[in-house]
Amino acid sequence: MDDKYMKRALALAENGIGRTSPNPLVGAVIVKDGRILGEGWHEQYGHAHAEVNAVRNAGNAEGATVYVNLEPCCHYGKTPPCTELLIESRVNRVVIGSLDPNPLVAGKGVQRLREAGVEVNVGVMEQECRKLNEVFFHYIKNRRPFVVLKAAMSLDGKIAAPSGESKWITGEAARKDVQHLRNRYSAIMAGVGTVIRDDPELTCRLEGGRNPRRIILDSKLRIPPGSRVLADQGNNRTIVACTEQAPPDRIRNLENLGAQLLFCRSMNGRIDLSDLAEKLGSLSVDSILIEGGAAVNDSAFSQRLVDKIILYVAPKIIGGERSKTFVGGYGVESLGEAHRIRIESVERIGEDLKITAYGIGREEPDGEES
């Protein structure tokens, strides 16, 4: 029975996708005598937590059991501690999917509840709970963004024809699925070559979706001032990562256009992505969706920054040595040096395949190293 209500808490938590970053996705269900009294989820960063919304929805939670996928907070942040609310509401039992990795909580929430006489059970559907918040767990532990590399390619691994044409390799269903990724992750990253060639907007086109923060890799600031990624920035300023090689006049021009420049170390003439990741982490960017070309993908893999891979594979053969593969660069000298991945799932998306995988040696969603 605990699994049933925890599944409901997880489903509620998903309603906050794209809204709570850098906070976790949390859902809460309040149950008494086999009946759901109230439900809630963390709807937006800085707003009430899931437990608060569930208690408000229930009205009276005395003697009830609360199901929540992540340990209730016990400290003052943007909002008061949820543990105190649950204690004041006189609930009998709290069932928790996973402990919170945040050192400010990390078991202290459970301890506070038990000290107040509340029965607490931890670990119900723990793997599923940690998987939902893989971004949050990674960011809290490493203080750098969770990096997802997405690519659309033909069955023989090509991302464009020899002419450079790439629209559209995959079908409409796969392209729509990508918009859900843009809504989910905090930022989207592309190289300046992609911007110059395609002039993309890099926005989320889902109805009600949230636009990710745009990050452009541009060591020498070659980005055209009229690029669409520099338009309609508002409070969500586009980040342009560059190096000290950037000309002063171009620096001034981009700053006048509202862009935020991040000066990073150089590696082989390109942006040092490890240095950039650290800087982005300090700006509370907890996740990045890389939609770059072959060169950007090569840098991300060679610097071992890729945590998750999502590949959309179309049932097409492009062929040709001049057709780019989704990872460029020199590659590895031998198969023993190949970047190994663990495939988690393969599913049909319209006419295409969607492959989801994790980099071997990267942190897994359950907190273990593979």
Side-chain angles (χ1 to χ4, degrees), residues 268-290:
N268 300 323
R270 299 178 183 172
I271 302 291
D272 184 333
L273 295 185
S274 295
D275 185 43
L276 174 59
E278 288 185 15
K279 289 179 168 62
L280 292 172
S282 67
L283 294 176
S284 296
V285 175
D286 65 356
S287 55
I288 297 171
L289 177 66
I290 295 181

Side-chain angles (χ1 to χ4, degrees), residues 289-338:
L289 177 66
I290 295 181
E291 288 198 28
V296 173
N297 295 342
D298 172 58
S299 293
F301 271 113
S302 63
Q303 294 183 47
R304 296 183 57 80
L305 287 177
V306 179
D307 299 298
K308 188 173 185 177
I309 304 111
I310 298 178
L311 302 177
Y312 296 91
V313 183
K316 301 173 182 177
I317 301 294
I318 294 177
E321 293 182 359
R322 292 186 298 115
S323 302
K324 288 187 177 181
T325 57
F326 92 97
V327 180
Y330 182 77
V332 297
E333 290 285 353
S334 66
L335 288 177
E337 300 173 2

Side-chain angles (χ1 to χ4, degrees), residues 77-246:
K78 293 282 184 181
T79 59
C82 291
T83 51
E84 301 312 304
L85 174 65
L86 296 177
I87 292 167
E88 291 167 7
S89 299
R90 303 180 70 179
V91 302
N92 277 357
R93 181 172 175 245
V94 177
V95 179
I96 298 169
S98 173
L99 294 178
D100 191 326
N102 188 338
L104 294 174
V105 187
K108 299 182 182 71
V110 170
Q111 181 182 357
R112 175 70 186 111
L113 290 169
R114 285 174 174 163
E115 287 174 349
V118 179
E119 179 185 346
V120 181
N121 296 91
V122 181
V124 174
M125 296 187 65
E126 182 174 10
Q127 186 172 357
E128 292 85 348
C129 292
R130 292 179 66 94
K131 178 64 182 299
L132 177 67
N133 276 308
E134 62 184 1
V135 167
F136 176 71
F137 276 80
H138 175 92
Y139 181 67
I140 288 294
K141 178 179 177 180
N142 300 287
R143 287 298 168 184
R144 73 160 180 83
F146 184 81
V147 176
V148 181
L149 190 149
K150 164 260 165 184
M153 63 187 189
S154 62
L155 194 59
D156 56 339
K158 307 295 186 179
I159 60 172
S163 64
E165 180 188 3
S166 61
K167 294 182 178 180
W168 298 100
I169 287 179
T170 53
E172 184 177 349
R175 297 198 299 273
K176 185 175 181 180
D177 193 65
V178 170
Q179 302 305 313
H180 290 279
L181 300 180
R182 291 185 176 185
N183 178 61
R184 184 178 196 117
Y185 298 110
S186 298
I188 182 169
M189 179 185 290
V192 69
T194 297
V195 175
I196 292 173
R197 182 178 64 251
D198 301 331
D199 193 21
E201 290 183 280
L202 300 182
T203 55
C204 177
R205 293 187 287 277
L206 288 180
E207 184 177 352
R210 173 201 55 83
N211 287 329
R213 191 161 190 185
R214 296 172 290 197
I215 302 170
I216 308 303
L217 305 175
D218 188 4
S219 59
K220 298 180 181 178
L221 297 186
R222 296 188 294 128
I223 185 170
S227 299
R228 292 195 289 179
V229 293
L230 298 175
D232 302 322
Q233 295 185 69
N235 295 325
N236 200 20
R237 297 169 65 195
T238 296
I239 294 174
V240 181
C242 60
T243 67
E244 296 299 333
Q245 301 175 56

